[in-house]
Amino acid sequence: MDYNYESDHTKFMREYLEKNPEVKEKRVEARNMWWDKKQNLQERKRFEESEVPMKPYVYFNG
């Protein structure tokens, strides 16, 4: 078995990131902006408590 296999996509991405190191920094910034956020637990609890339950058969107007 050849355990050194690298797909064309993986090879492209590795080479692209090596040639464009600023992309890695932008990826980290984007992740921090959208995903890595501290949660406000009180706000989250209030949000969950105020949720309106979905009615059964939402696709049926009868």
Side-chain angles (χ1 to χ4, degrees), residues 18-62:
E18 286 173 1
K19 293 177 185 174
N20 302 285
E22 70 279 359
V23 172
K24 283 187 179 182
E25 295 170 11
K26 289 181 181 179
R27 288 173 65 199
V28 170
E29 289 175 16
R31 179 179 173 95
N32 289 336
M33 179 176 29
W34 293 106
W35 296 106
D36 295 338
K37 301 268 186 199
K38 291 193 177 202
Q39 296 288 316
N40 181 335
L41 297 179
Q42 290 177 339
E43 184 177 333
R44 180 71 188 165
K45 183 180 179 202
R46 188 172 52 90
F47 177 77
E48 288 174 356
E49 288 172 349
S50 66
E51 188 173 284
V52 177
M54 184 186 292
K55 294 181 181 180
Y57 304 108
V58 294
Y59 300 109
F60 179 70
N61 292 331

